[in-house]
Amino acid sequence: MRVPEELPFGIGALLGCSITTGVGAVVNTAGVRPGESAVVVGTGGVGLSVVMGLRLVGADPVIAVDLSPERLAVARRFGATHTLDGAHEDVAAWCRRELGGVDYAFEAIGSPKVIETLPDMLAAGGAAVLVGMTATDATGSFNLFDLADQGKRVLGCNYGSSVGEIDIPKLARLYLAGRLPLDELVGRTRPLSEAGAAFDDLRSHTGVRTILEP
């Protein structure tokens, strides 16, 4: 697909997956509107892209949840108004206590245990958006009466409900126009020979995105 010639190589690499998935989850899958509230659980590359998408559409407040203080600090820079340490905070209880529940809860980890907690974070009529990919045979359970009684929804999201040929050029233009701060998502650049070390960083939740160059 065609992108503007001035688009940097590293940014183009990010648009291939995490940005398109995260921003698309907000814009295409959920259709978040200005002033609606959201919580994002998991602030790796995809989760941070969800945060950026929420800022792009004017969502408020935006709560980011992670175990990494470094990633939570980045989420603040990308537009999160609140950050929570998922290891020490009952996120669903916080959302109900502070906000009466949120309009949208995005899960960007792919953890069935976390996904099962999303409906408890929602206000009536809210939607849980499953952005992170679980194992192919993973299952989960919800309080079905709560979903029906409160009109809550569970939305599946594959690749941000995006069409690459349409969405990637749009995201490239938004970046070049200064609407998406994607440069801050690149933690470091490594040669292809250091791919193993880059995966080690990913597994240990170190830094943000790494770009591999030939």
Side-chain angles (χ1 to χ4, degrees):
M1 60 203 71
R2 292 183 179 275
V3 295
E5 289 187 9
E6 60 268 35
L7 187 74
F9 173 86
I11 301 302
L14 293 176
L15 292 179
C17 185
S18 59
I19 303 300
T20 304
T21 299
V23 176
V26 173
V27 176
N28 301 327
T29 307
V32 179
R33 294 171 294 187
E36 292 185 314
S37 57
V39 60
V40 182
V41 184
T43 55
V46 173
L48 289 172
S49 300
V50 174
V51 172
M52 279 190 282
L54 290 166
R55 182 171 73 172
L56 181 70
V57 301
D60 186 81
V62 175
I63 301 94
V65 182
D66 204 281
L67 306 179
S68 166
E70 179 184 6
R71 288 184 174 182
L72 289 176
V74 176
R76 282 268 188 185
R77 296 203 302 271
F78 282 6
T81 58
H82 302 75
T83 55
L84 301 176
D85 183 338
H88 300 99
E89 189 77 56
D90 183 331
V91 178
W94 189 95
C95 290
R96 293 193 303 270
R97 182 180 68 249
E98 300 296 329
L99 302 171
V102 295
D103 297 307
Y104 295 93
F106 295 85
E107 199 273 1
I109 303 169
S111 164
K113 289 184 178 180
V114 174
I115 290 170
E116 289 179 334
T117 69
L118 297 182
D120 287 341
M121 303 177 191
L122 299 173
V129 188
L130 313 189
V131 187
M133 284 293 178
T134 66
T136 54
D137 59 350
T139 61
S141 62
F142 303 107
N143 183 322
L144 301 182
F145 177 80
D146 178 56
L147 290 177
D149 181 60
Q150 297 296 309
K152 297 176 181 178
R153 296 162 291 150
V154 179
L155 306 177
C157 174
N158 187 342
Y159 198 44
S161 306
S162 300
V163 177
E165 291 84 352
I166 297 172
D167 289 276
I168 288 178
K170 286 182 181 179
L171 293 169
R173 292 193 296 271
L174 285 168
Y175 163 75
L176 293 170
R179 301 286 302 281
L180 291 172
L182 303 185
D183 293 306
E184 294 188 50
L185 195 56
V186 180
R188 63 186 303 180
T189 299
R190 289 179 180 270
L192 190 59
S193 60
E194 295 181 7
F199 277 109
D200 288 340
D201 288 344
L202 188 64
R203 295 186 189 99
S204 63
H205 308 291
T206 300
V208 283
R209 275 295 187 262
T210 297
I211 301 299
L212 299 176
E213 292 186 330

